[in-house]
Amino acid sequence: MAVDLKAILMPSSPTEVPKEVEERTKRGRARMRDGAAVRNEAMKFRRGDQYVYRSDDGMLVSQQTITLSNGQGKPRHRVRTTRNLIFDIVEHEVSAVTSRVPAYEVNPSTSEPEDYAAAAMAAKVCRYGYDKWDIRTVTESVVLYAVIAGEGFAMPYWDSTVGPYMHASDPVTGEEKVIGRGEVGIRVYGPNEVYWEPGLKFDESRWHAVEQARPIEDVQAMEGFNKSVKLTPDASADEDGVRREKITQHAKLVLVTEYMERPCPKYPQGRWLTISSGKQICPEKPYPCTDAEGNAVDEPVLHKLSYATDPDSDRDLGLVPQLLDAQRTINDCVNKALEWKNLMMNPQIIIRNGEFKQQITDEPGAVYHAVGSGEITIREIGEVPSSLDRIKEAAVQDMARI
């Protein structure tokens, strides 16, 4: 019996997602979320939120750093402070990359004078665009993602909604005509927003996808949005590997996936699908990476930057995850020294053959009444162990070496 492959592969409705695309994005999304908690943990440590840990189910959970009135939170005598050395390390790494303006050099493809002139003009355009297109800020953001979480991504695009209108003369009539408007823009994505075929390196994958949570109003305002699709606020608080106890009821965010498939014999112009709530919400478009004639180019439209390549994995490594244990050791040593100090400044009291009628507090000059004739003494506390400083300094040296 003959099988109609076209009927199987093609969706029955313009809003239905092709089966192979649905399966691919499901695989890629699952692979991306495998490491989401690790990457979010690194991002939090860089911000100074360093009392987080990964639970058995791979979610990121925060420890309480304050004592609450209901008795919850950390014990009153515990100290949880932070000495955020990771922030300084990350800023030094980013500064080393972005401190100099790049020198753009465009080589002509032939020795013809026209090609030399075109190459010189292209170099001028690159130098002009460094400031106009905010290349430095984009570079800083991508490098930050790479240093902290292993990978950063940038995607240049043509924004036809901004800039002055451009005019050109008709070569026949000489009449001035409006040919459009627009300006170059660059979007930056983190490693928890981009995925591709699991098991393949980024450049080897035939497709890439970008997934972001967006407000419903912004999605409905997209060009070509299919109004028959009902959007569902499905951007869960646990999607990025972070468990939150309370989810605001006013959040109206939907996950939008931009699926971009490179050109192939079956799709010579590639394809670009916009998916949300399990449906295609915009008409299918050609692959967004094109040449000057508008033909799709078989190369990734996203530009990826890695801090350290992992040859045995499809996802690369960042610097900050390697520093977490040393940073935790530094915080622990500082906190133990502070707890020791607090105990010496407000020592515990020992009563032999008697008891206090009131609870001892840390109020200076307070008078307490004791029942019985027992001897009242102060618990002897030694000096802060010097080993805490040695352990801390060793951890600082480990961080510098890493």
Side-chain angles (χ1 to χ4, degrees):
M1 182 179 65
V3 178
D4 189 355
L5 294 178
K6 184 176 181 181
I8 296 176
L9 296 176
M10 293 299 291
S12 58
S13 168
T15 63
E16 289 191 15
V17 180
K19 189 66 175 179
E20 74 275 13
V21 173
E22 185 178 357
E23 293 176 351
R24 289 172 182 173
T25 54
K26 185 178 180 180
R27 293 195 303 267
R29 185 182 301 112
R31 176 67 182 97
M32 176 189 69
R33 289 176 182 166
D34 282 344
V38 177
R39 293 186 283 266
N40 281 323
E41 184 181 31
M43 296 291 287
K44 283 181 172 292
F45 263 70
R46 186 256 180 178
R47 299 187 187 107
D49 185 4
Q50 298 182 353
Y51 292 93
V52 294
Y53 62 93
R54 280 173 280 139
S55 62
D56 293 338
D57 57 357
M59 304 301 294
L60 204 59
V61 183
S62 296
Q63 289 180 289
Q64 291 285 357
T65 57
I66 59 174
T67 302
L68 304 179
S69 58
N70 59 2
Q72 302 298 318
K74 73 176 185 64
R76 292 179 60 87
H77 62 282
R78 293 297 182 195
V79 177
R80 287 179 184 160
T81 61
T82 299
R83 301 295 184 270
N84 190 2
L85 304 188
I86 287 179
F87 182 84
D88 182 62
I89 292 173
V90 170
E91 293 304 302
H92 273 80
E93 293 286 304
V94 175
S95 177
V97 177
T98 60
S99 59
R100 298 180 61 184
V101 177
Y104 294 102
E105 181 178 352
V106 181
N107 295 320
S109 57
T110 69
S111 58
E112 296 295 327
E114 293 83 358
D115 290 337
Y116 270 101
M121 177 60 70
K124 291 181 180 179
V125 171
C126 290
R127 289 191 291 270
Y128 161 82
Y130 182 80
D131 292 324
K132 178 65 176 179
W133 306 325
D134 208 7
I135 299 295
R136 189 184 188 284
T137 301
V138 169
T139 304
E140 182 177 359
S141 298
V142 174
V143 172
L144 271 171
Y145 273 126
V147 173
I148 298 171
E151 301 161 335
F153 302 87
M155 178 178 171
Y157 67 99
W158 182 257
D159 189 351
S160 60
T161 64
V162 299
Y165 286 96
M166 295 177 287
H167 299 77
S169 299
D170 188 287
V172 179
T173 63
E175 181 183 357
E176 287 284 330
K177 294 184 177 180
V178 176
I179 60 174
R181 63 184 298 199
E183 188 58 83
V184 173
I186 306 177
R187 297 189 179 98
V188 176
Y189 302 107
N192 286 345
E193 298 174 312
V194 179
Y195 53 85
W196 54 93
E197 186 63 47
L200 295 181
K201 290 295 186 180
F202 176 81
D203 293 334
E204 298 172 351
S205 178
R206 300 299 307 169
W207 62 271
H208 301 91
V210 176
E211 185 177 272
Q212 287 185 312
R214 303 181 189 175
I216 288 182
E217 294 79 5
D218 292 355
V219 176
Q220 292 173 338
M222 294 175 64
E223 183 179 358
F225 175 76
N226 191 325
K227 297 181 179 180
S228 65
V229 177
K230 182 179 179 181
L231 297 177
T232 304
D234 55 358
S236 169
D238 290 346
E239 293 291 347
D240 56 358
V242 180
R243 177 180 291 119
R244 300 180 177 91
E245 298 299 331
K246 295 181 179 179
I247 305 174
T248 174
Q249 300 300 317
H250 303 290
K252 296 295 183 182
L253 300 178
V254 295
L255 284 177
V256 178
T257 301
E258 304 279 357
Y259 171 87
M260 296 166 285
E261 185 174 345
R262 293 157 65 173
C264 63
K266 184 177 179 180
Y267 301 102
Q269 290 297 313
R271 51 179 175 169
W272 179 7
L273 279 62
T274 305
I275 304 168
S276 182
S277 302
K279 301 291 185 179
Q280 287 192 65
I281 60 174
C282 296
E284 182 178 310
K285 294 175 286 187
Y287 188 63
C289 185
T290 62
D291 58 18
E293 283 74 34
N295 299 314
V297 179
D298 186 13
E299 61 184 45
V301 68
L302 290 161
H303 297 268
K304 174 181 176 234
L305 178 68
S306 299
Y307 184 82
T309 301
D310 188 346
D312 197 36
S313 175
D314 52 354
R315 306 301 297 239
D316 292 327
L317 303 174
L319 172 63
V320 172
Q322 322 307 321
L323 304 173
L324 299 189
D325 287 341
Q327 179 65 69
R328 284 192 171 104
T329 299
I330 292 170
N331 291 342
D332 188 46
C333 290
V334 172
N335 293 340
K336 289 298 181 287
L338 292 175
E339 289 174 6
W340 200 286
K341 179 267 298 181
N342 293 341
L343 184 59
M344 293 180 68
M345 298 296 292
N346 186 25
Q348 295 174 341
I349 295 176
I350 299 175
I351 308 175
R352 295 187 176 93
N353 301 320
E355 63 179 12
F356 281 113
K357 296 176 66 175
Q358 305 114 299
Q359 181 179 358
I360 301 296
T361 67
D362 57 358
E363 179 185 353
V367 177
Y368 299 98
H369 301 277
V371 177
S373 58
E375 178 185 359
I376 299 177
T377 60
I378 302 298
R379 176 187 172 187
E380 293 185 4
I381 305 296
E383 294 296 325
V384 178
S386 59
S387 58
L388 287 177
D389 283 335
R390 291 197 298 270
I391 295 173
K392 175 188 171 184
E393 290 305 317
V396 172
Q397 293 173 11
D398 289 342
M399 293 182 73
R401 180 63 183 270
I402 294 171

